[in-house]
Amino acid sequence: MHRLRNLRKGSRPQTLFNDKGKYPTLTRMSYCQCRLPRVFTSVFERFGWSHVALLLDKSDLFSLTVGKSLEWGLRKEGVLKAVRELDGNERESCEALLKDVSMYARVVILSVRGSLVREFLLAAHALGMTHGDWAFLDVEIFQGGYWGETGWAADDERDAAARAAYEALLRVSLKLPTGDRFDEFADTVRARAKQHYNYTFSDGEEVNFFIGAFYDGVYLLGMALNETLTEGGDIRDGRNITRRMWGRDFHGITGHVRIDAVGDRDADYAILDLDPVTGKFEVSSLV
């Protein structure tokens, strides 16, 4: 609860494990939410957007931490004009919230759980806000059921309207690994998941980014250990091992891995939008 109280003060959010004074041997191999404001700012600069609003679901931990990181970073850049917090467990009016923030901005970030993204976009569609005069953005780190249902289809009478509404949405996601090397790795993961854990990947289910990032973490640790042994160092010296892992880059299973001077990965992001023909999100640009 202390961490959540800090997130609501308007100061720089101290999300879990950010303080490397407390966690001096921690290396984050996947991504850091502290980079997200920079990603969003680059999108805004590309399109010339300078008036942005943020809708934030305070009842969902992922939405809360992402939203507070964005709030801090975008306020610092001077583009954030309105922030509204909501409780996703309550039946708050999406239309009322959209009407409110539309007085301050024409670009709206939806830092809310997956099912609420659909509700907000359907409300925006009903208000005539999905025809190009407004833009909407959300964050889906990678595709998977962990985030809840984030697509437009719900097999109900609103699917057609939802599909049209989602064309107004830009989705920020980690850039997924590609190439023969990752494909072979993913096939091995699927085979071992079935053989050792009786888990079968469903049709269309991807081997997520975090699995590859964990593999790259073990690879990076191996490089640091080999260097230490070559130089006659002590492999029990965790701080020395960590020092060798920070501030370096290499090509791993997940692509070009860049670890900065404080042990956080500088990950690549993709901007996705909905293909109106296929109804699927496709990469439109990289950040």
Side-chain angles (χ1 to χ4, degrees):
M1 288 302 296
H2 173 69
R3 173 162 56 96
L4 299 189
R5 286 197 296 272
N6 282 344
L7 286 173
R8 294 189 177 98
K9 290 180 180 178
S11 57
R12 182 170 187 168
Q14 293 297 316
T15 52
L16 194 61
F17 304 128
N18 261 8
D19 186 351
K20 293 301 177 72
K22 292 182 179 179
Y23 309 102
T25 58
L26 174 67
T27 304
R28 291 192 277 199
M29 293 298 302
S30 53
Y31 77 107
C32 178
Q33 289 181 1
C34 56
R35 300 285 201 280
L36 284 173
R38 188 173 68 188
V39 174
F40 275 78
T41 298
S42 69
V43 174
F44 301 153
E45 289 175 347
R46 180 178 305 175
F47 290 103
W49 294 336
S50 57
H51 290 70
V52 178
L54 172 65
L55 292 172
L56 167 59
D57 182 358
K58 63 185 179 182
S59 66
D60 177 68
L61 183 58
F62 176 75
S63 301
L64 176 64
T65 55
V66 166
K68 286 300 181 180
S69 292
L70 289 173
E71 180 180 358
W72 181 85
L74 298 179
R75 281 199 190 281
K76 189 176 179 182
E77 294 295 327
V79 298
L80 192 62
K81 307 304 180 183
V83 178
R84 299 293 182 267
E85 295 188 4
L86 62 131
D87 186 337
N89 295 317
E90 303 292 334
R91 296 186 61 84
E92 299 190 43
S93 171
C94 295
E95 287 196 6
L97 286 164
L98 288 171
K99 287 178 180 178
D100 180 12
V101 298
S102 71
M103 295 188 292
Y104 305 93
R106 286 183 175 266
V107 178
V108 181
I109 300 172
L110 300 171
S111 187
V112 300
R113 65 190 68 187
S115 58
L116 274 180
V117 172
R118 187 175 190 263
E119 294 304 317
F120 271 110
L121 288 174
L122 282 166
H125 193 63
L127 292 170
M129 298 173 67
T130 59
H131 304 302
D133 292 332
W134 278 267
F136 298 87
L137 298 94
D138 75 347
V139 177
E140 183 183 50
I141 295 301
F142 58 82
Q143 291 183 344
Y146 177 82
W147 318 109
E149 181 53 57
T150 60
W152 54 265
D155 295 326
D156 62 22
E157 69 281 357
R158 301 189 298 170
D159 273 0
R163 178 168 176 162
Y166 268 68
E167 292 185 35
L169 179 69
L170 294 178
R171 176 158 284 168
V172 176
S173 179
L174 286 170
K175 177 182 177 293
L176 295 179
T178 57
D180 293 341
R181 187 182 178 200
F182 184 80
D183 290 343
E184 292 174 5
F185 171 78
D187 288 342
T188 301
V189 169
R190 292 187 182 95
R192 290 191 176 183
K194 182 174 180 59
Q195 179 182 354
H196 298 297
Y197 304 103
N198 196 31
Y199 178 82
T200 301
F201 281 72
S202 60
D203 291 341
E205 182 181 0
E206 301 288 345
V207 172
N208 75 54
F209 184 90
F210 289 175
I211 297 173
F214 184 82
Y215 180 94
D216 284 339
V218 175
Y219 183 81
L220 176 59
L221 175 61
M223 289 193 291
L225 289 171
N226 282 338
E227 291 170 2
T228 301
L229 290 170
T230 299
E231 296 176 11
D234 184 358
I235 61 172
R236 295 170 299 180
D237 184 349
R239 290 179 184 267
N240 177 57
I241 297 295
T242 301
R243 179 180 58 81
R244 295 176 184 275
M245 296 171 68
W246 291 6
R248 68 188 300 169
D249 63 276
F250 63 97
H251 288 279
I253 282 292
T254 56
H256 189 189
V257 180
R258 300 180 300 275
I259 307 298
D260 69 13
V262 294
D264 290 332
R265 181 171 182 170
D266 186 8
D268 293 322
Y269 287 84
I271 309 302
L272 290 70
D273 63 4
L274 193 75
D275 185 322
V277 176
T278 66
K280 297 180 179 180
F281 277 94
E282 305 288 350
V283 174
S284 62
S285 62
L286 300 176
V287 181

